[in-house]
Amino acid sequence: MATHTLNMTTSTENMTYKVADTSLAEEGRLLIDWAESRMPVLMSLREKFAKTKPLAGHRIAGCLHVTKETAVLVRTLAAAGAEVSWSGCNPLSTHDAVAAALAEEGIKMYAWYGQNTEEFYWSIDRTLDFKPTMTLDDGADLIVRVHQHHQELIPGIVGGSEETTTGVHRLRAMAADGKLMYPVIAVNDAETKWDFDNVYGTGQSSLDGILRATSVLLAGKNFVTAGYGHCGKGCAMRAKGMGANVITTEVKATAALKATLEGVQVMTMDEAAKVGDVFITTTGMKDIIVKRHFESMKDGAIVCNTGHYDCELNLGDLAELAVSKREMRDNCVEHTLADGRRIYVLAEGRLVNLAAAEGHPSEVMDMSFANQLQAMLMLADKGESLGQGVHELPEELDQEIAGIKLASMGLELDVLTQEQIDYSTDYFAGT
Ligand code: 9W4
């Protein structure tokens, strides 16, 4: 572990970063530059705010996956005038090359792959050493840390933002208890965040993970998505586009009805288990595929998850059925049952889009992180007046972000005439 200390002291207060290996910085720069070339919304906002520096004087502490896309956000916050300190929000999601590149660029970076719990909280604490004026979270660990161990910082913090559904739930629970002491913007609730992440991000990256782990032909296969929410629908759309026969299983009638009308066959998992070639769970619920399902699967079935961590597939059940197992290729383990049938589990049942591919494509993260930037700008502008609790970004910002994205693709919108606007608001007009 390479440790860098400013003015060669050993005092942790003076350390500007701690990353795995600074010699990876060039590799990291290439990755970040690549992501930048795919993230036109953030890049155009960067160009605009590099001139006006609306975040000047602010210190932003961030706790969010250290990926090439996050780095584009970090560079943009810095270009808009903020001083930035950062840690990863999951000990296993830090990309060491990216961390090294940002550290070299002057970001106070405390992140490396494979941190233990103590190192994880140590890193969060270091990001707080410079007394941030704003916090940026994915999962709410940083905000919770501030509220539990660094309450003295709260008066100096104008607000924070939160990236995920899980984090927003945590914060709403804190707010309901009267324990959330500053305004937090729920970036997750922006349409240009959740809708695009879940449908297009998860859809493409999950198929990407399956293909990287197996390289199977999807055309002609029976592809089963457990769940037809946003993620299930995204996977279904993409699998269909590659020629698969798509089947879905649901517990919610409206979702199942939508699937049917979209040309996706609906059946129970008991039925789907017998006919599926590739299974992906997207439900957020545990025990979606259990022993009786594994028992009825065809030889060669491929099983994976892109929903809730690693409990959607009951791999304990599969282990009980299997007489042997072997790793066939990266992220692909073969389980042989007593009668010789083989079942392939991808990425040990963890999120296949993250473990076997690179998560959401940069183009999708572009919009999620443009919302993060907007949240920081909103806090800098009127955080003082927002009041404690969870807030949403205004709808106009969704439209602005989607508009910049469309413009970057060279696409134009029609504009309503005044007559049309009057027509749409005049309830006396006849039908
Ligand atoms: N990544 C991740 C990677 C590996 C990993 C226990 C051992 C989420 C969103 C974005 O969670 C992320 N390995 C794990 S947990 C884990 C998590 N374990 C669990 O057993 C292995 C993650 C957002 N994002 C993209 O999707 C693309 N760019 C982004 O910034 C990133 C990472």
Side-chain angles (χ1 to χ4, degrees):
M1 184 71 51
T3 299
H4 176 88
T5 53
L6 195 75
N7 33 349
M8 303 312 283
T9 82
T10 51
S11 147
T12 51
E13 274 72 26
N14 289 333
M15 200 186 295
T16 50
Y17 61 79
K18 181 161 172 167
V19 298
D21 182 356
T22 48
S23 75
L24 298 171
E26 176 55 19
E27 187 191 323
R29 269 192 296 280
L30 290 174
L31 286 167
I32 305 169
D33 291 351
W34 172 253
E36 283 187 347
S37 75
R38 310 282 131 188
M39 299 178 80
V41 180
L42 269 181
M43 295 307 283
S44 89
L45 293 172
R46 185 190 297 179
E47 199 184 333
K48 176 173 166 192
F49 296 125
K51 295 184 189 118
T52 53
K53 305 264 183 219
L55 297 178
H58 277 285
R59 293 179 299 284
I60 299 175
C63 180
L64 196 149
H65 307 286
V66 180
T67 63
K68 59 189 185 303
E69 291 80 16
T70 298
V72 180
L73 170 65
V74 170
R75 281 183 176 176
T76 305
L77 295 170
E83 212 183 321
V84 184
S85 69
W86 215 262
S87 69
C89 65
N90 180 317
L92 298 171
S93 66
T94 293
H95 206 306
D96 284 330
V98 170
L102 288 179
E104 273 205 352
E105 291 172 22
I107 303 301
K108 296 173 174 29
M109 175 60 65
Y110 305 95
W112 59 95
Y113 178 84
Q115 290 188 328
N116 62 31
T117 306
E118 191 192 335
E119 291 166 334
F120 180 79
Y121 288 108
W122 178 87
S123 298
I124 291 184
D125 287 345
R126 294 292 69 73
T127 68
L128 295 171
D129 283 341
F130 76 162
K131 301 186 173 39
T133 59
M134 301 201 262
T135 59
L136 190 155
D137 258 283
D138 178 311
D141 283 338
L142 174 59
I143 294 187
V144 169
R145 190 80 181 162
V146 167
H147 282 71
Q148 283 188 329
H149 296 280
H150 304 277
Q151 293 98 332
E152 74 286 356
L153 297 176
I154 291 173
I157 298 180
V158 288
S161 65
E162 167 56 46
E163 172 83 2
T164 63
T165 319
T166 322
V168 171
H169 275 144
R170 253 179 122 179
L171 295 169
R172 289 221 160 94
M174 270 173 85
D177 262 1
K179 297 276 163 54
L180 184 59
M181 305 310 289
Y182 56 79
V184 182
I185 297 177
V187 167
N188 184 68
D189 296 352
E191 194 181 347
T192 43
K193 198 280 180 184
W194 64 264
D195 208 8
F196 291 80
D197 265 26
N198 290 339
V199 182
Y200 310 103
T202 304
Q204 174 168 316
S205 57
S206 300
L207 274 272
D208 186 9
I210 292 170
L211 295 180
R212 288 192 204 196
T214 65
S215 79
V216 293
L217 178 73
L218 286 179
K221 294 281 195 308
N222 289 334
F223 186 97
V224 181
T225 74
Y228 201 76
H230 290 99
C231 296
K233 183 189 165 114
C235 293
M237 272 164 61
R238 296 312 176 224
K240 209 172 192 189
M242 297 191 77
N245 308 309
V246 183
I247 296 166
T248 201
T249 67
E250 252 302 339
V251 291
K252 196 173 167 192
T254 47
L257 187 57
K258 280 183 197 162
T260 321
L261 301 195
E262 284 163 18
V264 170
Q265 235 185 311
V266 175
M267 53 178 89
T268 61
M269 186 55 84
D270 284 341
E271 290 307 310
K274 296 180 209 157
V275 296
D277 296 301
V278 179
F279 296 80
I280 186 160
T281 51
T282 73
T283 68
M285 177 52 67
K286 67 176 199 162
D287 288 342
I288 300 303
I289 299 184
V290 295
K291 193 176 251 172
R292 68 177 191 281
H293 301 127
F294 291 122
E295 275 172 335
S296 64
M297 281 181 189
K298 298 197 288 191
D299 179 35
I302 293 167
V303 182
C304 66
N305 165 48
T306 197
H308 198 266
Y309 302 106
D310 55 358
C311 61
E312 300 212 15
L313 310 174
N314 193 323
L315 296 180
D317 281 0
L318 182 58
E320 283 175 26
L321 292 173
V323 291
S324 68
K325 69 178 199 175
R326 57 182 177 152
E327 187 168 355
M328 300 303 288
R329 24 189 299 139
D330 281 353
N331 290 308
C332 180
V333 173
E334 177 187 75
H335 297 253
T336 304
L337 310 192
D339 64 3
R341 271 176 302 145
R342 293 155 300 177
I343 294 175
Y344 297 92
V345 176
L346 309 188
E348 298 173 62
R350 296 196 303 273
L351 302 185
V352 72
N353 69 324
L354 290 164
E358 292 172 63
H360 303 319
S362 305
E363 287 87 339
V364 171
M365 295 312 296
D366 189 21
M367 294 194 286
S368 303
F369 288 162
N371 282 294
Q372 283 288 2
L373 172 67
Q374 297 289 9
M376 294 291 110
L377 294 170
M378 184 168 148
L379 290 169
D381 187 32
K382 53 176 181 208
E384 306 286 359
S385 63
L386 278 181
Q388 297 166 351
V390 179
H391 301 262
E392 293 194 353
L393 284 168
E395 220 269 326
E396 306 86 79
L397 284 179
D398 261 331
Q399 296 304 328
E400 187 187 324
I401 289 170
I404 302 173
K405 192 72 160 180
L406 284 168
S408 78
M409 298 165 163
L411 304 175
E412 278 180 66
L413 294 171
D414 274 331
V415 180
L416 289 178
T417 62
Q418 190 54 49
E419 211 181 335
Q420 287 173 309
I421 294 169
D422 294 346
Y423 175 76
S424 70
T425 53
D426 179 5
Y427 45 83
F428 286 125
T431 52

